[in-house]
Amino acid sequence: MAAKEQTQELTIDDLKTEMKLTDEQLNTAIKEPDLPDVSACFDNTDDYLEKLELSPGQKTDVSEVKAKTRLNRTQAGMRLALEYWQNKNQLQATFKALLLILLSLLKGDVAVQVCKYLSDKCSTSCPPSRERVLLNHKLSSYRDYLQSRYRAQVSTSATQWPPVPTNKVFKLAMIQKEKIQRGRIDDEFFRLSITGKIDDILVQKTPVDLINIFSEIGNKRNFVLIEGAPGSGKSTLALHICQEWAEGKLFQEFYIAILVRLRDPLVREAKKIADILPCINTAVANETEAVIQSLYGKGVLWVLDGWDELPSDLPRESIINKLIRPDMSQKGALHESAAIITSRPSSSAELHPLVSSRVEVLGFTPYELEKYLAECLEGDSQAVQTLLERIRENPVVEGSCYIPLNASIIVNCFLSDNHSLPTSNHGIFTSVVQSSLKRYLQDRLGKTTPVGDITSPDSLPSDIRTQSVHICQLAYHGIEQNKATFTDSDLAALLIPKDISNVGLLQTVPSIISDGLLVYYCFLHLSIQELLAAIHISLMSSKQQIAVFQKLFGNPRFSAVFQFYAGITKLRTSRPILSLLPRFLCPVPATVFDLVRKFVKNEKDKYNEPKILLLSLINCLYEAEDLSLCVFVANLLNHNLHLGYTTMNPIDCLSVGYFASVCSNTSNGFTLSFRNCSIGDQGCKFLARGFSKCLHSHSEISLNLSSNDIHEGIHHIAEVIENTSSISKLYLSNNAIGNSGLSTLCEALSTKSNSLKYLDLSECSLSLDDHGAIPRLLSTNNTLEHLHLSGNVIGNTELKSICEALSTSTSLKRLDLKNCSLTISDDNGAALYQLFTNNSLERVYLSINTVTSCYHIAAGLAVNKNLKTLDLSRCKLTDASIKELSTGLTSKIETLYINGNYSITEDGMKTLARHLTIHCSELTRLYIPGHLKSSIKTVFRDTNKERKRNGLPEIAI
């Protein structure tokens, strides 16, 4: 065995010898009919072990060399067990042998961990063997049919048209409702990623491999929602899932995986399950449906692609709704089946209460984008760098390249248009349309006529003028009816000839459901349809345009259409003199101004809810570049833009920064809140670019960037501060800025004469002992009034430096040092004396620190003339501390917190009460330890009577 162990190979004979198993034992037939099928547990064995982090030496009591041998032999044993199961189909004995191998070759926690993992996998695995037998007999031919279909579909190349990414970039982050986290997100994967536009999600995001998207569902129904921005690759992912299943690499716990493209017109008419099954004929579909229903869907995985492409008039009793919302009381309910459904987030809100988990498809990080460009440009490093420079020159293009489809379009423009790139989001998709028309002229008609301006039919060549008008009409009809696909009958009803598909903007798609016997038409991408619909609207009269937008308002795709419309028209149409008249003279909406009012009215009053429509409007204003309209919207918002809890992509941040910079030139200033918007470092970069457009040096902006997982992004904010004196309030709490980021920020604040009055650095992962950045800021800045440092590790050395810097400060009014790991005693309390002698301070918060002596605090209070609030709650104060504190309480103190100090007794409170009978003439609120409230109530009642006789106000306890 030693030689074999050296080569780390196992055979069936080795297994029998080491486990002391006879042939009879190994070949024993399965006796338990419901024993689970665990074959899927052994697929990709190396990957499973890697996920369990079974590295040599980990959690074992043996040497690294021996641990490595055990690990390799375990992998070999698992593969052997799977091979034996496949050949002999003797599940019970083989699984037992596998577990024995794991327990003998591994030790301690590792073995337990592996066994628990496999046990968990078995509990949610395929149907019991009885049902498996039925599936084998009834569905084996249908399974083979699906597998052959999926294998036959091949992904296209990035160099062909329409362009698609060659790399299947399926970076996923699981979003789970039960793990909502409104605070800082520390996950490295999230920090390096750029989120797609997930409308109303800010929850804990963790990386998840595709194979594991069902693993944490537990006993819930297996229903996973995959969301992502348009062009992020959701449809490609849906096909990829089915292809991987067909190859035996993914989701083998499901006997069949059924891909249903919800854009298929046959889905609209489907009355039963058989109507949406990809089959060669109706008879097979009906037979397959009967088997699936007899098992209540057990062992079936539905892959429903494109929830956002379903028509809005789809009846609630349709088969798709019944599939997603199965009524378990009904005969043939499919509540045992699993489902994966893809959608744009703007259309999936109604699914959120139904799903077991939500998964986000993330786009390219800057590193992945560069790697992708190198692949498309065939490794030409010079061309890659040139393209990257072009991309970085334009923030709109750079901010949209995280979406794989957009990146593909940019590459195509770079290769075909003399290395020039579009400059706006609407320009990106306009280039797709122009390229398609150009190809049609060249390849179909053999002409090299310039295409011209696609937004003006008169400028187009006569060969494509009529087709362009027709295709824009079709696009608008689809938006109006919420259709993404069209049949021959749809074209006939609009008097549009079938050959319109030859232009290249439509593609002919064989229906999977009918096995290719029926075809339908759809646009190359939904965003292209929205652009063409916007062109169609822009060619209407002003009166018709307003009527259309009033009709479409609330349509799931209205925001996208209106954004393209803004890019085309710059929102300068439909502005007659009626807009200047009082509202009572013009009650009927007649202008773009009225539509904008409706945008704002629908969104601005929502509290702690995503403001998607408002954000879409801000994007439109950026596309339009109309300063007067920006100011109009700012006035409607009362110069307060609160986007809290609205996840924002880079373009959103760019647009909002631009909007704020335009609207900040007012005497009232501008308040901008991004709290919990997941903007990250990339968002900070684009926000800073937006600010740089036209930020006025004499304006005032209150900027709230709390809870956005900012790290390096603070450097971009510092650039804004260096170039303007506009930011008066800066909220950065709950961001992992760290000391490096703090140094950059404080340097910017110290070297520039600015108007910053409020700085919140709470919970920013700072460790400031002897760091010096904050003291330097305080000693050079003469405008700062509020400084919040709670939740950071300040340290006593830094506290001393801060107090020394504040001894000469004349501006700071509030200092928050809650929970800063401070220990204040007789030995180091002298620094606090300097702090409290500063007569500009009005509020000091020291709660959740350790205060063993109040001597120096009291000495400083005795000479302070302005301090109104002092917070010493949860500071481990004792009766002795209270006695010391009482000697220094000044007449200006209005609010005193000593609650949460459970070492204080009644005697200590009585000492304080006696002092308050004739001192602290302004004190009106006293927060005392909760355990003393009832027992000390009488004492303070008497104290208040005494204070009243002395002409002092009562103290609320």
Side-chain angles (χ1 to χ4, degrees):
M1 289 303 298
K4 291 182 180 293
E5 184 160 318
Q6 187 68 27
T7 58
Q8 298 147 5
E9 294 178 355
L10 288 176
T11 65
I12 291 292
D13 292 333
D14 293 334
L15 186 148
K16 289 189 293 185
T17 301
E18 293 191 11
M19 298 299 106
K20 299 180 180 178
L21 294 170
T22 65
D23 288 335
E24 183 179 355
Q25 288 174 314
L26 275 175
N27 292 320
T28 300
I30 300 173
K31 297 179 181 178
E32 298 179 30
D34 291 331
L35 191 67
D37 179 351
V38 296
S39 62
C41 299
F42 307 130
D43 193 21
N44 294 328
T45 303
D46 295 342
D47 292 340
Y48 287 151
L49 291 175
E50 183 179 346
K51 291 184 190 312
L52 291 171
E53 297 180 344
L54 294 177
S55 57
Q58 181 185 355
K59 292 186 179 179
T60 63
D61 55 357
V62 296
S63 67
E64 182 173 340
V65 174
K66 196 166 186 180
K68 183 176 180 180
T69 300
R70 287 177 173 175
L71 176 60
N72 290 329
R73 286 174 55 75
T74 301
Q75 293 174 323
M78 293 179 78
R79 285 191 289 270
L80 178 67
L82 174 59
E83 179 185 349
Y84 190 77
W85 179 86
Q86 290 173 332
N87 293 333
K88 296 287 187 178
N89 200 24
Q90 304 301 315
L91 179 61
Q92 186 180 36
T94 308
F95 188 55
K96 175 184 175 184
L98 170 65
L99 292 181
L100 288 171
I101 291 174
L102 292 175
L103 290 171
S104 64
L105 297 183
L106 300 173
K107 294 288 184 179
D109 292 341
V110 174
V112 174
Q113 188 181 15
V114 173
C115 292
K116 182 179 183 304
Y117 176 78
L118 291 176
S119 176
D120 291 343
K121 292 289 289 185
C122 291
S123 65
T124 57
S125 143
C126 281
S129 57
R130 173 179 55 80
E131 294 168 348
R132 169 69 76 176
V133 171
L134 179 59
L135 284 170
N136 275 328
H137 283 88
K138 298 289 186 180
L139 295 179
S140 59
S141 60
Y142 184 57
R143 174 187 169 98
D144 294 340
Y145 166 78
L146 289 176
Q147 289 175 333
S148 63
R149 281 191 65 95
Y150 299 148
R151 291 185 184 122
Q153 298 189 51
V154 182
S155 298
T156 53
S157 167
T159 57
Q160 69 181 60
W161 192 261
V164 294
T166 53
N167 279 340
K168 294 179 180 179
V169 182
F170 302 135
K171 178 182 291 186
L172 304 178
M174 180 163 283
I175 305 171
Q176 297 175 297
K177 293 186 295 184
E178 63 272 17
K179 290 189 178 180
I180 293 175
Q181 177 176 314
R182 297 294 180 187
R184 184 171 67 250
I185 300 174
D186 290 323
D187 189 84
E188 178 70 17
F189 176 85
F190 179 79
R191 291 203 299 270
L192 294 176
S193 301
I194 310 171
T195 61
K197 194 171 182 179
I198 300 303
D199 295 345
D200 59 348
I201 309 169
L202 183 61
V203 293
Q204 183 176 359
K205 300 179 183 180
T206 55
V208 59
D209 287 331
L210 196 55
I211 197 170
N212 293 325
I213 61 174
F214 288 114
S215 62
E216 297 190 28
I217 289 176
N219 295 326
K220 300 177 183 178
R221 185 178 179 225
N222 289 349
F223 188 2
V224 175
L225 172 62
I226 299 180
E227 297 174 303
S232 58
K234 301 182 295 296
S235 295
T236 308
L237 173 60
L239 176 60
H240 174 75
I241 288 171
C242 293
Q243 289 177 326
E244 291 292 284
W245 169 82
E247 295 294 336
K249 299 176 181 178
L250 189 66
F251 299 147
Q252 295 304 289
E253 62 267 36
F254 301 107
Y255 191 68
I256 54 175
I258 303 173
L259 174 63
V260 180
R261 292 196 172 102
L262 299 180
R263 67 179 73 93
D264 195 316
L266 293 179
V267 171
R268 307 176 202 166
E269 307 166 4
K271 305 296 183 185
K272 55 184 180 178
I273 289 297
D275 294 338
I276 62 172
L277 292 176
C279 281
I280 55 176
N281 56 55
T282 304
V284 174
N286 289 331
E287 181 182 352
T288 303
E289 177 189 15
V291 177
I292 292 174
Q293 288 190 337
S294 69
L295 299 173
Y296 304 104
K298 189 82 170 181
V300 178
L301 172 63
W302 298 94
V303 183
L304 309 175
D305 178 35
W307 176 262
D308 52 314
E309 298 178 66
L310 280 172
S312 56
D313 57 352
L314 190 74
R316 301 289 293 183
E317 63 272 13
S318 72
I319 189 59
I320 295 299
N321 276 309
K322 288 182 179 179
L323 181 62
I324 292 172
R325 304 175 178 87
D327 183 353
M328 298 185 186
S329 64
Q330 295 293 319
K331 182 180 179 181
L334 301 179
H335 56 272
E336 294 290 336
S337 63
I340 295 173
I341 186 164
T342 70
S343 177
R344 281 189 189 186
S346 57
S347 303
S348 60
E350 62 182 306
L351 298 177
H352 295 171
L354 305 174
V355 301
S356 307
S357 64
R358 296 160 68 181
V359 175
E360 179 182 1
V361 182
L362 300 178
F364 289 131
T365 64
Y367 168 76
E368 288 164 340
L369 175 62
E370 184 172 353
K371 184 178 178 182
Y372 171 67
L373 297 181
E375 177 188 350
C376 293
L377 298 176
E378 298 179 347
D380 185 342
S381 59
Q382 183 60 46
V384 171
Q385 291 307 311
T386 301
L387 177 53
L388 284 173
E389 289 173 8
R390 297 280 192 278
I391 290 173
R392 290 162 185 160
E393 288 170 358
N394 191 302
V396 173
V397 174
E398 184 179 2
S400 65
C401 276
Y402 76 93
I403 298 174
L405 177 64
N406 290 0
S408 297
I409 295 171
I410 293 300
V411 172
N412 185 273
C413 293
F414 180 77
L415 292 174
S416 59
D417 295 337
N418 263 344
H419 292 185
S420 63
L421 298 181
T423 59
S424 66
N425 189 47
H426 120 266
I428 291 174
F429 286 96
T430 296
S431 70
V432 177
V433 176
Q434 289 176 321
S435 294
S436 293
L437 296 178
K438 182 179 178 181
R439 285 171 182 264
Y440 173 72
L441 287 170
Q442 290 178 345
D443 299 344
R444 293 270 182 170
L445 305 180
K447 297 185 177 183
T448 57
T449 311
V451 172
D453 182 5
I454 66 170
T455 64
S456 175
D458 294 337
S459 71
L460 296 174
S462 58
D463 302 285
I464 56 173
R465 192 174 301 154
T466 301
Q467 293 93 324
S468 298
V469 171
H470 279 158
I471 207 163
C472 289
Q473 179 189 359
L474 181 65
Y476 170 72
H477 170 75
I479 296 297
E480 189 180 38
Q481 302 296 321
N482 198 19
K483 287 182 179 179
T485 55
F486 309 91
T487 62
D488 289 338
S489 59
D490 292 323
L491 298 181
L494 296 171
L495 303 179
I496 296 176
K498 293 181 184 179
D499 62 1
I500 193 176
S501 61
N502 296 333
V503 176
L505 294 172
L506 284 174
Q507 53 185 344
T508 304
V509 183
S511 171
I512 295 180
I513 296 174
S514 67
D515 197 28
L517 298 178
L518 174 73
V519 297
Y520 58 90
Y521 310 96
C522 66
F523 286 89
L524 296 180
H525 194 270
L526 289 181
S527 294
I528 294 176
Q529 181 186 356
E530 290 154 356
L531 168 65
L532 296 175
I535 293 174
H536 181 76
I537 296 171
S538 71
L539 298 174
M540 297 178 178
S541 68
S542 298
K543 186 176 180 180
Q544 288 175 320
Q545 289 179 23
I546 294 299
V548 164
F549 283 130
Q550 290 294 327
K551 179 181 179 180
L552 292 181
F553 196 91
N555 182 295
R557 296 166 69 184
F558 167 76
S559 296
V561 173
F562 190 68
Q563 187 171 331
F564 281 123
Y565 171 84
I568 295 166
T569 66
K570 301 301 181 184
L571 294 180
R572 294 193 178 100
T573 58
S574 306
R575 294 199 190 179
I577 196 169
L578 290 174
S579 64
L580 304 177
L581 297 177
R583 297 293 299 153
F584 68 88
L585 294 179
C586 184
V588 179
T591 70
V592 167
F593 286 103
D594 294 293
L595 188 62
V596 168
R597 283 192 184 96
K598 194 170 183 180
F599 265 105
V600 176
K601 181 181 177 182
N602 274 265
E603 294 288 306
K604 74 172 185 178
D605 295 327
K606 294 181 180 179
Y607 180 74
N608 277 5
E609 289 187 20
K611 297 172 177 58
I612 305 305
L613 201 57
L614 184 57
L615 187 56
S616 177
L617 172 61
I618 303 300
N619 285 327
C620 292
L621 297 177
Y622 182 85
E623 290 278 347
E625 296 180 334
D626 190 312
L627 305 188
S628 63
L629 195 53
C630 288
V631 173
F632 174 73
V633 173
N635 289 329
L636 291 178
L637 294 169
N638 297 320
H639 297 276
N640 290 283
L641 180 57
H642 293 280
L643 294 170
Y645 304 95
T646 307
T647 301
M648 296 167 59
N649 65 29
I651 294 297
D652 296 331
C653 295
L654 176 72
S655 301
V656 172
Y658 166 77
F659 174 74
S661 71
V662 170
C663 304
S664 60
N665 188 22
T666 65
S667 57
N668 297 325
F670 199 85
T671 299
L672 184 59
S673 178
F674 291 154
R675 183 175 180 84
N676 271 298
C677 286
S678 276
I679 69 172
D681 292 334
Q682 189 79 344
C684 277
K685 174 182 178 180
F686 284 89
L687 178 66
R689 288 192 175 189
F691 275 139
S692 66
K693 285 281 184 177
C694 50
L695 195 62
H696 301 279
S697 60
H698 55 281
S699 58
E700 282 196 9
I701 291 182
S702 174
L703 179 58
N704 190 333
L705 293 169
S706 300
S707 303
N708 275 293
D709 206 47
I710 295 170
H711 301 265
E712 294 302 315
I714 193 63
H715 298 284
H716 300 297
I717 301 303
E719 288 178 14
V720 175
I721 293 172
E722 286 179 343
N723 294 313
T724 178
S725 59
S726 298
I727 297 179
S728 60
K729 295 182 180 179
L730 182 57
Y731 299 80
L732 295 168
S733 60
N734 285 284
N735 289 302
I737 292 174
N739 290 347
S740 174
L742 176 66
S743 295
T744 302
L745 177 65
C746 289
E747 183 178 350
L749 292 170
S750 300
T751 57
K752 178 79 176 178
S753 176
N754 58 73
S755 59
L756 188 71
K757 297 177 182 178
Y758 193 110
L759 178 59
D760 187 352
L761 294 168
S762 305
E763 305 285 348
C764 282
S765 302
L766 305 178
S767 181
L768 299 178
D769 201 0
D770 202 25
H771 183 65
I774 294 295
R776 286 195 298 273
L777 170 64
L778 294 173
S779 61
T780 56
N781 185 289
N782 57 4
T783 62
L784 192 63
E785 296 179 359
H786 297 253
L787 177 60
H788 296 254
L789 295 170
S790 63
N792 296 296
V793 181
I794 298 295
N796 291 323
T797 304
E798 184 75 357
L799 176 64
K800 181 180 179 182
S801 300
I802 290 174
C803 292
E804 288 175 353
L806 284 173
S807 63
T808 57
S809 171
T810 58
S811 62
L812 197 70
K813 295 180 180 179
R814 171 170 175 160
L815 179 64
D816 189 340
L817 295 172
K818 293 195 295 282
N819 192 26
C820 285
S821 303
L822 300 174
T823 300
I824 300 167
S825 62
D826 284 333
D827 294 334
N828 60 11
L832 270 295
Y833 175 79
Q834 285 183 299
L835 175 67
F836 284 106
T837 55
N838 181 341
N839 285 310
S840 69
L841 280 172
E842 296 179 0
R843 292 175 174 82
V844 175
Y845 297 84
L846 292 169
S847 60
I848 321 180
N849 290 295
T850 301
V851 179
T852 61
S853 171
C854 288
Y855 173 77
H856 291 96
I857 294 176
L861 290 175
V863 297
N864 188 285
K865 299 177 181 179
N866 288 313
L867 193 69
K868 297 177 181 180
T869 299
L870 176 61
D871 186 356
L872 292 172
S873 58
R874 300 171 64 184
C875 283
K876 302 179 183 178
L877 300 182
T878 63
D879 288 348
S881 305
I882 292 299
K883 185 176 180 180
E884 290 175 336
L885 183 65
S886 298
T887 62
L889 288 176
T890 68
S891 60
K892 292 295 182 180
I893 293 286
E894 297 175 358
T895 304
L896 177 63
Y897 296 82
I898 56 171
N899 51 297
N901 293 293
Y902 295 104
S903 296
I904 299 176
T905 68
E906 289 184 28
D907 291 339
M909 292 308 302
K910 288 176 181 178
T911 300
L912 179 61
R914 285 194 296 271
H915 178 79
L916 295 178
T917 55
I918 57 174
H919 296 91
C920 298
S921 59
E922 303 295 329
L923 188 66
T924 56
R925 291 187 298 274
L926 176 64
Y927 296 83
I928 67 174
H931 68 287
L932 297 175
K933 279 188 177 180
S934 58
S935 61
I936 208 70
K937 188 180 298 183
T938 303
V939 173
F940 276 93
R941 188 184 301 125
D942 293 340
T943 298
N944 276 328
K945 289 179 181 178
E946 201 60 35
R947 285 176 65 86
K948 190 174 182 179
R949 282 194 289 269
N950 293 328
L952 302 179
E954 288 190 2
I955 300 173
I957 304 300

